[in-house]
Amino acid sequence: EPEVTQTPSHQVTQMGQEVILRCVPISNHLYFYWYRQILGQKVEFLVSFYNNEISEKSEIFDDQFSVERPDGSNFTLKIRSTKLEDSAMYFCASILTRGINQPQHFGDGTRLSIL
Amino acid sequence: DAKTTQPNSMESNEEEPVHLPCNHSTISGTDYIHWYRQLPSQGPEYVIHGLTSNVNNRMASLAIAEDRKSSTLILHRATLRDAAVYYCILLNYGGSQGNLIFGKGTKLSVKP
């Protein structure tokens, strides 16, 4: 069964540095999402992306965050200047269409640790 | 999105059925009831969804109350691999881009 893959599985970065988290969604999927989960807390929606532009974003997704689909396969989340509170698991998800019978497929996440 | 309420935790014995409840008293007529689960150290995983009628798939069954104010996810024979956090989420495709709003979910423990 096709999978969403995320790299790296664990990223350690100094505070203030830029970080790029990478995701390869399922190949024929059209909608892409990023979520994050701070340790011990709920999974939180960050942003959705369709047709090469942001569809919706949460309050968390401020100017420090950006997303890009640089080619036909990768979907990236960039954090420009990381803060300690950005430490979390980041999950990428994709969906074929927004139809009611299309579940979101999640990757296993990237653990981001900010030092 | 309408709010859901789930118990914080539940326990089950292996190979016994598990009924995971969810209350959603403010559900609207166009809200779909979705269930996802998150196994330890993994991303969320889709389980099942429905609108009004009960639904079955290879993973679970979903029983929806007649007034749609509550639903129950049924695992027919729990295995150790079913130990996870289960999330009940309402999704209205007309009002959002399909992004999921997760609550705290129910942490299911399965005893051998």
Side-chain angles (χ1 to χ4, degrees):
Chain A
E1 188 173 316
E3 289 182 341
V4 174
T5 57
Q6 292 186 242
T7 56
S9 56
H10 190 190
Q11 173 80 44
V12 181
T13 302
Q14 291 288 331
M15 186 173 61
Q17 296 295 306
E18 175 183 286
V19 67
I20 297 176
L21 309 182
R22 302 180 192 280
C23 169
V24 179
I26 295 174
S27 62
N28 61 340
H29 283 192
L30 300 177
Y31 289 82
F32 313 109
Y33 304 83
W34 282 101
Y35 295 83
R36 80 170 186 191
Q37 186 175 32
I38 295 171
L39 185 63
Q41 298 188 25
K42 299 185 291 187
V43 177
E44 299 173 290
F45 165 73
L46 291 178
V47 65
S48 60
F49 190 86
Y50 170 70
N51 201 25
N52 278 324
E53 60 183 26
I54 291 173
S55 302
E56 193 171 359
K57 60 183 181 179
S58 72
E59 291 178 355
I60 303 168
F61 194 89
D62 61 22
D63 292 343
Q64 293 299 311
F65 291 88
S66 62
V67 288
E68 195 178 33
R69 189 154 159 82
D71 53 42
S73 59
N74 290 287
F75 179 50
T76 62
L77 174 69
K78 183 195 292 187
I79 308 175
R80 255 179 279 281
S81 177
T82 50
K83 302 185 276 254
L84 293 176
E85 52 264 38
D86 293 327
S87 295
M89 285 292 292
Y90 287 81
F91 296 106
C92 171
S94 70
I95 191 169
L96 179 60
T97 69
R98 282 184 57 229
I100 58 170
N101 293 320
Q102 303 300 323
Q104 286 194 23
H105 295 257
F106 284 78
D108 280 338
T110 292
R111 179 175 301 283
L112 178 62
S113 300
I114 307 300
L115 303 179
Chain B
D1 291 300
K3 187 176 169 61
T4 64
T5 305
Q6 299 178 252
N8 290 332
S9 62
M10 290 184 66
E11 275 192 357
S12 171
N13 294 316
E14 197 176 11
E15 298 191 6
E16 289 185 357
V18 183
H19 290 233
L20 296 163
C22 180
N23 286 318
H24 28 79
S25 59
T26 59
I27 192 170
S28 75
T30 52
D31 283 331
Y32 288 81
I33 303 158
H34 286 245
W35 284 81
Y36 281 75
R37 71 179 185 181
Q38 188 175 20
L39 279 65
S41 302
Q42 294 189 25
E45 174 187 32
Y46 168 80
V47 178
I48 200 166
H49 78 276
L51 181 62
T52 56
S53 304
N54 294 344
V55 185
N56 300 295
N57 67 18
R58 64 177 177 82
M59 290 181 72
S61 296
L62 177 59
I64 302 172
E66 200 168 326
D67 64 4
R68 300 212 323 127
K69 294 185 176 182
S70 65
S71 60
T72 303
L73 179 71
I74 302 165
L75 307 179
H76 295 285
R77 286 184 68 203
T79 68
L80 296 178
R81 197 194 172 274
D82 292 321
V85 179
Y86 287 79
Y87 301 99
C88 170
I89 300 170
L90 301 184
L91 202 53
N92 186 325
Y93 287 91
S96 75
Q97 298 297 318
N99 45 291
L100 300 171
I101 306 298
F102 289 83
K104 293 183 178 179
T106 297
K107 184 173 183 178
L108 176 66
S109 303
V110 180
K111 295 183 289 184

